[in-house]
Amino acid sequence: MTPTSVARKTLLAAVPLLAALFLSAAGQPTVHVAPMDSVGPRPVEQQTRSSIVRDYLQAWQSMGTALGENRPDLLDASFVGLAKDKLADTIREQRSLGIASSYRDQSHDLQVVFYSPEGLSIQLLDTVEYDVEVRDHGKTVGTQHVRTRYVAVLTPTESRWKVRVFQSGS
Amino acid sequence: MRSWVTLLCALIVVVTVPGLAGHASAQASDLRFPQKVEAGTAFSVSTTGSGSATLYIIGPGDTIRRVVHLGESISFGPDDLHNAGHYVAFLVSGSSTQNAQFEVTASHQAATLSFLAKPSRLPVNLPNGVSGVAYVFDIFRNLILQPQQISFELSDSSGRAQIRSATSRDGVAWVKMNSAAKAGPAQFQAEVASVRNKRVIQQVPGDPCSIRMTAHGLGQKDKARVALETEPVRDCNGNPVPDGTIVTFTETYQGGQSMVDVPLKRGVAKTELPSHNGAVISVASGVVMGNEIRWSGGL
């Protein structure tokens, strides 16, 4: 075995590890946001543009932690109404079965498609990639990588935008 | 050297396309779920092998764990999966795990409408003054993403209606409509496939269109004062301006000015001012000026 082939095999074996290290080091998901200049019927102000993206991404963090720790109270900060009810139901189901699921979002491709005339709801589409890991009574069942599209409707509250509708699928 | 470059490229591809490894494992699955399942419908999934296994179905909307027998079909009833979304499935048997992913889609049948109508109160005859936004949900409260034809109807207190229709896109449709010429409560309704949702919008008269007043002396009763009274004050569509609207009478005479604010009562404003011969008396409400009278009957 030549030194070159040894090095090649070593590097090949290290590829998944390096990739994992790279991703975990990155931590935050990559985010692409489509321009919002042509969103209608209401124009999206600059401050709204940044807060909607910030609050939506925070909602993903809240959901991931809430489903991972089976704590519906963690949804309060980012979800309201229908979306909160449905996620809370799922957490109750998970808890009763002894199951936990961890959602780690890796990338978001966001497009705001509707901002209502009176400014009370904003809708965005998100082509998202995430890993979902499932544990049954603490033991890992498996992990799958998912790429799908989410539709989210956010409404303003006292201090932030909260997710009212949160649904994946095309 | 070339092989190192190839290797480096492979590393970059794996690092920058995080889904690659995951997709590969998902594709290797033997567990065959239908790609899409409509919420609330029964379906079954065939399995291969023998013995028992545990099936997990996980999504943000539902969680299922079930012990199944390999080699038999796994049946799902209408109540098992009714929240639309992307689901992952794991079939675990000993050390072997089969994976699958599938989507539960909303039912095509609209069951509820979330309808926002704004504002709740506005002046009559305002172009595009009323907005209506409707989100369409199925019986399981899933947003129906397929286009739906939604009818919006705004009818005033006399029964005259404006009707518009809009096609929902990603679950939402909206319209803007004019407020009616007639003041009073208006019904604003959204309808899709016989599902209706109604809101009431109060249409109030606009600003006064014109103000006309008359003046007359009080005669022997009080020669030092003049009585002023407007005709019924209406907006430009003939709606009576609401009582309480302030009307201002101003009297300008040599060496002075008198001014009084009077709220409309039963559609008219009345007051008395000191009588000055040669005084000019004017009337106004907001930015609307009324007629002027030169008073010649005073002291």
Side-chain angles (χ1 to χ4, degrees):
Chain A
M1 192 176 281
T2 64
T4 310
S5 65
V6 169
R8 190 169 55 188
K9 282 185 178 175
T10 307
L11 189 54
L12 271 173
V15 162
L17 181 64
L18 285 170
L21 283 173
F22 180 86
L23 288 171
S24 65
Q28 299 296 315
T30 58
V31 179
H32 173 260
V33 182
M36 299 186 201
D37 299 325
S38 58
V39 174
R42 185 186 177 94
V44 188
E45 304 86 0
Q46 195 58 47
Q47 194 177 348
T48 305
R49 292 179 192 199
S50 52
S51 56
I52 198 85
V53 171
R54 180 198 63 210
D55 294 344
Y56 174 73
L57 294 175
Q58 181 57 48
W60 267 88
Q61 298 299 312
S62 302
M63 181 190 77
T65 315
L67 286 166
E69 298 178 11
N70 281 333
R71 286 182 54 192
D73 58 298
L74 296 177
L75 299 170
D76 294 345
S78 297
F79 293 90
V80 70
L82 196 55
K84 186 177 152 188
D85 293 347
K86 289 194 172 195
L87 287 169
D89 286 347
T90 304
I91 290 172
R92 275 188 282 276
E93 282 176 359
Q94 285 194 164
R95 191 189 278 165
S96 69
L97 294 168
I99 290 173
S101 54
S102 298
Y103 287 75
R104 286 185 294 273
D105 51 332
Q106 295 174 349
S107 71
H108 296 272
D109 194 345
L110 299 172
Q111 185 188 7
V112 174
V113 290
F114 175 71
Y115 189 20
S116 65
E118 77 297 328
L120 290 179
S121 67
I122 197 161
Q123 185 182 39
L124 55 85
L125 306 179
D126 178 17
T127 302
V128 58
E129 292 194 33
Y130 59 89
D131 282 337
V132 54
E133 180 191 4
V134 178
R135 298 183 304 281
D136 186 351
H137 292 93
K139 186 183 168 193
T140 299
V141 172
T143 302
Q144 289 195 45
H145 183 80
V146 174
R147 185 177 197 276
T148 188
R149 188 185 81 150
Y150 266 80
V151 178
V153 178
L154 290 87
T155 53
T157 61
E158 298 81 8
S159 55
R160 63 192 306 167
W161 289 85
K162 289 191 181 182
V163 179
R164 186 170 287 275
V165 176
F166 189 60
Q167 184 177 309
S168 66
S170 50
Chain B
M1 184 61 189
R2 186 179 294 171
S3 59
W4 276 97
V5 171
T6 310
L7 210 52
L8 199 58
C9 289
L11 173 62
I12 289 166
V13 166
V14 171
V15 166
T16 55
V17 186
L20 209 57
H23 282 310
S25 64
Q27 283 165 0
S29 161
D30 290 324
L31 189 59
R32 298 198 185 280
F33 271 77
Q35 202 174 6
K36 288 185 180 180
V37 178
E38 189 173 304
T41 56
F43 67 102
S44 62
V45 176
S46 60
T47 62
T48 55
S50 60
S52 66
T54 306
L55 174 72
Y56 298 87
I57 294 178
I58 307 290
D62 282 305
T63 303
I64 292 174
R65 182 181 60 198
R66 192 185 287 183
V67 175
V68 299
H69 297 287
L70 297 175
E72 296 177 3
S73 286
I74 309 168
S75 295
F76 296 89
D79 292 332
D80 286 335
L81 286 165
H82 47 74
N83 282 315
H86 194 95
Y87 288 81
V88 295
F90 300 90
L91 185 61
V92 182
S93 172
S95 60
S96 112
T97 302
Q98 298 174 49
N99 297 341
Q101 294 183 17
F102 64 100
E103 264 182 27
V104 174
T105 60
S107 160
H108 286 70
Q109 185 67 43
T112 56
L113 265 177
S114 176
F115 181 38
L116 274 95
K118 286 280 175 181
S120 57
R121 182 182 169 92
L122 82 165
V124 293
N125 229 21
L126 193 64
N128 290 326
V130 184
S131 72
V133 177
Y135 288 91
V136 193
F137 295 91
D138 70 7
I139 197 168
F140 305 108
R141 301 193 300 167
N142 297 311
L143 190 64
I144 300 178
L145 302 177
Q146 303 303 318
Q148 304 277 315
Q149 199 69 21
I150 300 176
S151 170
F152 295 90
E153 182 177 318
L154 180 65
S155 48
D156 64 21
S157 52
S158 67
R160 274 184 301 187
Q162 302 171 61
I163 299 173
R164 303 251 178 91
S165 72
T167 305
S168 67
R169 191 172 171 187
D170 294 313
V172 62
W174 67 279
V175 289
K176 277 192 167 184
M177 295 174 112
N178 307 332
S179 60
K182 188 169 170 51
Q187 305 272 344
F188 195 13
Q189 176 180 280
E191 179 176 358
V192 58
S194 76
V195 178
R196 296 184 189 90
N197 207 331
K198 200 177 276 186
R199 297 284 179 267
V200 173
I201 290 176
Q202 190 67 33
Q203 299 183 126
V204 297
D207 291 329
C209 198
S210 63
I211 307 174
R212 182 149 190 87
M213 69 171 165
T214 55
H216 60 90
L218 294 174
Q220 295 303 319
K221 188 180 167 192
D222 189 349
K223 287 182 180 176
R225 299 185 72 78
V226 56
L228 304 168
E229 181 174 344
T230 64
E231 292 176 1
V233 181
R234 298 181 182 277
D235 70 7
C236 293
N237 296 292
N239 299 296
V241 172
D243 282 358
T245 303
I246 298 295
V247 174
T248 304
F249 296 91
T250 307
E251 181 186 27
T252 308
Y253 49 90
Q254 196 172 17
Q257 189 180 59
S258 299
M259 188 181 288
V260 61
D261 289 334
V262 181
L264 283 180
K265 204 171 182 180
R266 293 181 184 163
V268 298
K270 291 180 189 174
T271 192
E272 292 174 11
L273 285 172
S275 177
H276 295 279
N277 200 15
V280 175
I281 303 169
S282 63
V283 63
S285 179
V287 295
V288 180
M289 293 292 294
N291 60 320
E292 276 187 357
I293 293 173
R294 181 171 291 275
W295 184 244
S296 56
L299 296 173

